[in-house]
């Protein structure tokens, strides 16, 4: 079959952000926009001839069309085989697992994570490397550089592949295997957690849980694992059917967007003991107890402290890593266990080297991401199953487990305030104004706290020595409190300012405060130091998590 070479003109905006190239659907539908970027990936990644590519997405609008195009381009690029999730579906952690398990050269995951979908929403494309993890910065930058000089792409003639039917197909001589997207992932989970114990708890009639798939990719995974395999009652999984527009919702598992789940768990005389949710592509998780919200930072700390309850981690963990803005709660666990704790820039790609080198077992981000060395992505359902394993082992409530953790380690009050879709220029000016203050801040008293240090976070990867600068402005106080400012690298409209607030309270008689109350003075300091209202025109944050 003849491969066609199509002339094209480079787009100037194909620079991947925190997690792949994420743009509006409208942008992705511009002539050859997707093709240009895919060709840039194929021209940059080494060793693709004859090797395997894993392909799938979160099922959002444009997923299926994009898959047909990528299959034709993969055939033209000389891949030996494509492993494709049935229906074009693969959660991000499941794709990461498949890449590792089947020795693929990499994978393409189509997702804009928690961003809304549909014709007016967003679309995205991520390339994951051989270890199953997101492409490191050096590769995303090389892909971007290549994209700036793409003048043609290569594609096989149209030949629609039946995405919904399991089996073996061929496109221009390249084999395609359409696989069950859940099976391999479920096997992996079963190898890590005590399924018998979890099943006994879920079937006992004494434990009530809800998992909110938010009409996104984890629906089929959760139904198969929680309801079919572990025997949780039907109806345990809410919004389990993946929809191209996520039912019009915002598939972001947090207090602001998983409203229905929140109201079930926080109902006055509620009967649900455990609530959890995941996002568009299945890598995020939110964990709730009865009238209790577990911050993702605390979740990582609690799982690290109790890792050995799960069969997969029975022999202990080697270390922990957290992204810089994530609270320092995990650091305290690492210190007690005598383990290293690494502080990395925001974005999962920075954990890859540490995991590959065996220096850490668990890692997480405040942005509802937690995972381990079982894949090279964050993993929503993994975190939920870990919590279920912990609850089944301890036979105690979520709230008690976390409160006991605070009593032992102290509580890191934590919150993130987001100012969304602000003017890009104003956002850059705000950050520049903060940068200018860095040298004068140390020693200053702000409210009741004294600044110990202030910097713009830079990270040197301990494994390969690569340096990443400009990763967020930190104001560190003498009492362990912190304020961090950074601009989002995943938004598609204007800029989003994220303000991360943290204070440490060792005294357990002071652990019952609402976090917004406990952090109120820091919230004011942040507003004053960064002159947030002056630059953004906003009095309060749009989303508080
Ligand atoms: C956000 C989160 C970050 C996460 C990323 C991808 O990136 O803050 O922790 O890794 O989404 O899920 P940001 O928009 O802040 O750049
Ligand atoms: Zn995601």
């Amino acid at each position: 079959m003849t491969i066609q070479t199509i002339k094209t003109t480079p787009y100037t905006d194909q620079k991947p952000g925190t997690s792949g190239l994420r743009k509006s659907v409208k942008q992705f539908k511009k002539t050859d926009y997707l093709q240009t970027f895919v060709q840039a990936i194929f021209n940059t990644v080494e060793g693709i001839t004859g090797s395997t590519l894993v392909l799938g997405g979160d099922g959002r609008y444009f997923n299926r069309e994009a898959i047909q195009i990528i299959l034709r381009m993969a055939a033209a690029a000389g891949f030996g085989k494509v492993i494709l999730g049935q229906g074009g579906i693969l959660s991000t952690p499941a794709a990461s697992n498949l890449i590792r398990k089947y020795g693929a050269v990499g994978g393409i995951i189509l997702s804009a994570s928690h961003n809304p979908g549909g014709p007016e929403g967003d679309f995205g494309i991520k390339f994951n490397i051989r270890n199953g993890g997101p492409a490191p910065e050096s590769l995303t930058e090389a892909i971007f550089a290549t994209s700036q000089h793409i003048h043609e792409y290569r594609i096989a003639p149209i030949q629609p592949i039946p995405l919904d039917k399991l089996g073996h197909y061929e496109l221009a001589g390249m084999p395609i295997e359409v696989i069950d997207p859940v099976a391999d992932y479920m096997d992996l989970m079963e190898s890590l957690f005590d399924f018998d114990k979890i099943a006994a708890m879920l079937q006992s009639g004494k434990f009530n849980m809800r998992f909110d798939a938010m009409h996104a990719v984890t629906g089929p995974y959760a139904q198969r694992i929680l309801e079919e395999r572990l025997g949780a009652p039907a109806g345990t999984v809410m919004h389990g059917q993946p929809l191209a527009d996520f039912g019009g919702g915002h598939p972001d598992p947090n207090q602001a967007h998983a409203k229905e789940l929140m109201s079930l768990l926080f109902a006055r005389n509620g009967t649900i003991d455990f609530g959890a949710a995941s996002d568009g592509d299945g890598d995020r998780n939110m964990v709730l107890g009865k009238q209790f919200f577990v911050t993702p930072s605390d979740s990582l700390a609690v799982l690290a402290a109790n890792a050995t309850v799960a069969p997969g981690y029975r022999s202990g963990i080697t270390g922990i890593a957290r992204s810089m803005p994530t609270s320092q709660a995990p650091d305290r666990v690492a210190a007690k266990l005598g383990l290293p704790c690494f502080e990395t820039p925001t974005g999962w790609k920075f954990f890859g080297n540490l995991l590959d080198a065996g220096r850490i077992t668990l890692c997480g981000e405040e942005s509802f991401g937690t995972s381990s060395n079982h894949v090279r992505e964050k993993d929503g359902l993994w975190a939920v199953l870990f919590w279920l394993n912990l609850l089944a082992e301890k036979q105690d409530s979520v709230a008690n487990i976390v409160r006991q953790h605070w009593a032992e380690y102290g509580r890191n009050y934590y919150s993130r305030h987001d100012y969304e879709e602000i003017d890009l220029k104003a956002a850059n000016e705000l950050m520049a104004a903060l940068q200018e203050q860095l040298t004068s801040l140390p020693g200053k008293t702000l409210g009741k706290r004294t600044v110990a240090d202030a910097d713009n976070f830079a990270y040197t990867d301990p494994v390969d020595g690569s340096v990443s600068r400009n990763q967020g402005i930190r104001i560190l106080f003498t009492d362990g409190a912190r304020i961090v400012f950074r601009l989002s690298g995943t938004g598609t409209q204007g800029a989003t300012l994220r303000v991360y607030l943290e204070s440490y309270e060792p005294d357990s008689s002071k652990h019952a405060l609402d976090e917004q109350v406990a952090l109120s003075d820091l919230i004011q300091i942040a507003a004053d130091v960064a002159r947030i209202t002056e630059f953004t025109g906003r009095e309060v944050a749009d989303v508080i998590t």
Side-chain angles (χ1 to χ4, degrees), residues 57-74:
D58 64 11
R60 68 178 57 225
Y61 180 81
F62 197 51
N63 193 51
R64 297 172 75 95
E65 270 169 88
I67 281 180
Q68 298 286 2
I69 291 169
I70 295 168
L71 286 173
R72 291 165 55 207
M73 290 185 68

Side-chain angles (χ1 to χ4, degrees), residues 100-133:
R100 296 165 66 75
K101 188 167 175 179
Y102 296 109
V105 68
I108 289 182
I109 306 171
L110 302 170
S111 172
S113 187
H114 50 284
N115 293 21
E120 303 299 320
D122 289 338
F123 190 76
I125 171 165
K126 310 187 271 187
F127 182 76
N128 281 30
I129 58 174
R130 212 179 266 282
N131 75 351

